[in-house]
Amino acid sequence: MPAERSDPTVDTGEPRRRAEKRWGWPVVVLVVVLGFVFWHAAAMDHYLQRVTAEKFTVSPMDLPRQQVPLGTAFDAQTWVRLAGGLEAGPDWRLRTDVFENAPEGRPVFWNSAWAWWLIGAGKLWSSVFGGGFLNGLERSAVWANLPVLVLLTLGLWIWISRRWSAGLGAVMAAVMVGHRGFYAGFYPGNPDHHGIITACGAGMVLGVALAGAGWHRTGANSARDGWDWWARDEASAKRAMMISAIFGAVGMWFSAASIIPVFAALSVALMMSGKPAGTGLAFSGKVWRHWGRWGGALCLGFYLLEQFPDRLGWRLEINHPVYALAWVAGAELLAWYSEARLRASFKPTRTELGVLTMSLMALVLPIMIIGVGRESVFGLLDPVLKRIHAHVTELESLPTRVGALGWMHYFSYVVLEPAFLVLTGVVAWRARRTGEGFLLRMVWWVTVLLLVLAWWQNRWMLMAGGPLAVLAAVFWGRISGDSKSGKTSLVAAGIVIVVLAGWHPWQLVTERLEVSRRGDVQSEEARQLLYRDVARVLRADAAGREVILLAAPDASTAVSYFGDFSSLGTLYWENRSGLSRAERLLGAKHVEEAALLVRRWGVTHLALFGFDGGGLIYSPDGDAPTSVGPRLLAGDLDPVWLRPIIYELPPQFGRIESRVRLFAVDFTQSEAEAAYRHGLAAVAFGENDRALRCFSRATRTAPNMPAPWLRLAEVQLRLRSAKAAMAAMISGIQTLPLAEQETAYLDAAKLFGAQGATAEGNQLLDKAIAVGRSQ
């Protein structure tokens, strides 16, 4: 179909806009941006090394991993383990994580390229600084995001500078790094793949904008000054679209679920934006078809690279050929829609009708497959996973997070960004008779749609940051183009950068300086220290035996990371089986049921923490702590098959945690032994009523064991029940050999006397004298 043209004779009187050739202030902005990310990485590395050096015992820290990551970097801990296993294993692609859903393991559909990036960083670190590969892998993980962020920032800046101007590139780079959601994907100490995905979203939207969404100069206009917003010709637009497709395909490879909303937002935005007004431009649907074919082919190639030949199936949580087909089909539909709108007729020809029908079927095919296959093809629909996801912070709405942390914490989200969107919306409306007004409208719609998604679930702020940066660049280009003063243009750039890119870096800088001044450890990293200390205790208890850990998802990931343990429930859709098992165990209503499941799945240890309610996330009753996990944490249960590990919480953790309960599975215990050990744990935790219950039970089931009687007497004496304590003490001493009884009575008399029970102490002293005379 020939290229459709808008009327080239229409002259709106808009000024000719020469590309901004000044490189001075844009380079300064870029240097400041890169300087900030280098400073922040160095500051975080210094901080995390100081945190890692913290110890709470004089005993040696015999742990496979000790490096404390960013406190919320649970996925990053999994990445480090996966990378280490990939480097040591026979395969060159990620396949199975044997440490989750123990003992079978769980499939891994994560990106192998990112694992190899971490492996390369670890090898480089160990070759330069020594210490072995695993140590290098841990240490380099703090810095792994930095070179990726720098390369992507420079690459996008150069691209936009060559096509538009260095000033637009500087604004975009500043907003990318300054946006809380975008930069969070690249935080030092969090070597996760989300940064790559956010950058892919930015590159995809930028490529469509640079391609003019299919509009380009034509004829005499291609040689004129002032057409800097538009590609010179169709070939130039296709090149920009091809780069956009590369970004989109890489994003699909890393996380289809994260990048697909950007495709949807782009499609809606194109339909909502109309067309450039009176600019003498030509539209070519071939540009969109080119985008779809490149993107679809690359998606298919990445799928085969990652999955062929052993994992070809119907897992639609990841990049898949049906998404590649849908991309091609969607591009065809967008091209036809734009062409039909230009010719003011949406009635297709017979040939077009066949193509459109097939394209529409291909576009909805993934939805149909998911609708029929449900959780068997799209695990995120699993009821267990959906219930557990309801408790995940990043899946909460932005208003919920604002209610939890305060609006000042999210000031940029709830005040600055909405104000900017209102301003750009007004400017886009006023620029409706200009060519760049179309680009401004299109990127505005993409950004608004993704931010609406982010207000629903705050995790989508990651994907909104890139389009917001593109919008800021186009917005500044528009207002600076209207300005005849270079000074006014510079002031406008400064305002845009400060408003959108200043708040979050300022928060990070002041936070780092304050933490450094106080020598403090922030709560999230302190919790990682707690997990590491718990791993030390469990590893010592296991004494070289395998540990299969049962805990809440975050604790499972972190404790297992430090101790190199296996675990059941971790918060990944591939581990639905492990999550289901953990839910059945900690969410069980009866200890007998839990015991059967523990024995079946080989669990060796339990770790329950106050902040997660002892795995309350698994409870079918939601917030009602009636299941096994929360009741074990509260001390309401003392199962015979669990041996408590007495772990006294270091005082440094008092502000973040109130209770930690650790258990080892031991089916060899007798009822009396179990009750006695639970009683000792209760004494250590200051739970006197529970201690009475446990020691009384031990005396009933094994009346000839002296220790339960003696400990029972001590607790009763502490509770000022002197007569009952004396009776229990006598019962316990009488079970001792006769030769030991005199000394035992004398010690008991001293104990009672020290507690103010003088009469009972004298009676015990009389008992000692009587026993001595009888020998």
Side-chain angles (χ1 to χ4, degrees), residues 347-366:
K347 184 177 181 180
T349 65
R350 181 173 299 179
T351 301
E352 287 178 333
L353 182 61
V355 173
L356 293 176
T357 301
M358 293 179 62
S359 297
L360 187 60
M361 291 175 61
L363 186 64
V364 301
L365 180 61

Side-chain angles (χ1 to χ4, degrees), residues 367-387:
I367 301 174
M368 294 174 60
I369 294 173
I370 292 172
V372 173
R374 303 293 296 171
E375 60 266 25
S376 65
V377 299
F378 198 75
L380 296 174
L381 297 178
D382 184 274
V384 173
L385 204 59
K386 288 172 67 176
R387 184 166 62 249

Side-chain angles (χ1 to χ4, degrees), residues 249-469:
V250 172
M252 290 289 291
W253 183 23
F254 273 76
S255 176
S258 296
I259 207 75
I260 284 175
V262 182
F263 284 92
L266 264 173
S267 302
V268 174
L270 183 69
M271 292 186 288
M272 296 292 291
S273 301
K275 64 179 181 178
T279 57
L281 300 175
F283 176 81
S284 174
K286 294 179 181 179
V287 173
W288 280 101
R289 295 181 177 97
H290 183 75
W291 179 70
R293 289 162 189 169
W294 264 98
L298 287 170
C299 269
L300 179 60
F302 286 138
Y303 174 80
L304 295 175
L305 177 66
E306 194 74 67
Q307 312 301 340
F308 183 82
D310 55 317
R311 293 209 304 194
L312 303 180
W314 292 101
R315 295 256 57 97
L316 297 193
E317 305 90 346
I318 61 170
N319 179 36
H320 193 275
V322 297
Y323 293 135
L325 185 62
W327 191 343
V328 176
E332 176 64 39
L333 291 170
L334 287 174
W336 179 86
Y337 174 83
S338 299
E339 292 167 343
R341 183 168 54 187
L342 278 176
R343 63 175 182 257
S345 173
F346 287 91
K347 184 177 181 180
T349 65
R350 181 173 299 179
T351 301
E352 287 178 333
L353 182 61
V355 173
L356 293 176
T357 301
M358 293 179 62
S359 297
L360 187 60
M361 291 175 61
L363 186 64
V364 301
L365 180 61
I367 301 174
M368 294 174 60
I369 294 173
I370 292 172
V372 173
R374 303 293 296 171
E375 60 266 25
S376 65
V377 299
F378 198 75
L380 296 174
L381 297 178
D382 184 274
V384 173
L385 204 59
K386 288 172 67 176
R387 184 166 62 249
I388 291 175
H389 277 176
H391 299 269
V392 177
T393 299
E394 70 176 29
L395 299 179
E396 292 178 343
S397 69
L398 184 59
T400 299
R401 298 309 303 152
V402 170
L405 298 178
W407 70 275
M408 284 299 292
H409 189 76
Y410 293 104
F411 182 73
S412 59
Y413 286 174
V414 300
V415 176
L416 297 180
E417 286 176 16
F420 176 72
L421 289 174
V422 171
L423 176 61
T424 50
V426 171
V427 171
W429 181 80
R430 295 186 63 180
R432 64 191 181 278
R433 298 186 182 277
T434 68
E436 61 267 34
F438 163 74
L439 295 178
L440 192 59
R441 291 193 303 274
M442 183 187 69
V443 184
W444 186 87
W445 274 110
V446 173
T447 306
V448 167
L449 291 170
L450 290 174
L451 284 174
V452 168
L453 196 62
W455 278 65
W456 170 57
Q457 286 185 341
N458 72 92
R459 70 183 294 257
W460 295 107
M461 279 295 176
L462 288 165
M463 302 312 302
L468 180 69

Side-chain angles (χ1 to χ4, degrees), residues 577-625:
S577 178
L579 282 169
S580 179
R581 290 179 176 184
E583 182 194 44
R584 289 182 63 186
L585 275 166
L586 291 180
K589 294 299 183 182
H590 306 288
V591 292
E592 296 80 9
E593 175 190 358
L596 290 174
L597 298 175
V598 161
R599 190 188 291 271
R600 180 188 304 172
W601 293 323
V603 174
T604 64
H605 290 80
L606 282 71
L608 307 175
F609 297 84
F611 83 94
D612 61 31
L616 193 60
I617 191 173
Y618 295 124
S619 176
D621 295 335
D623 294 333

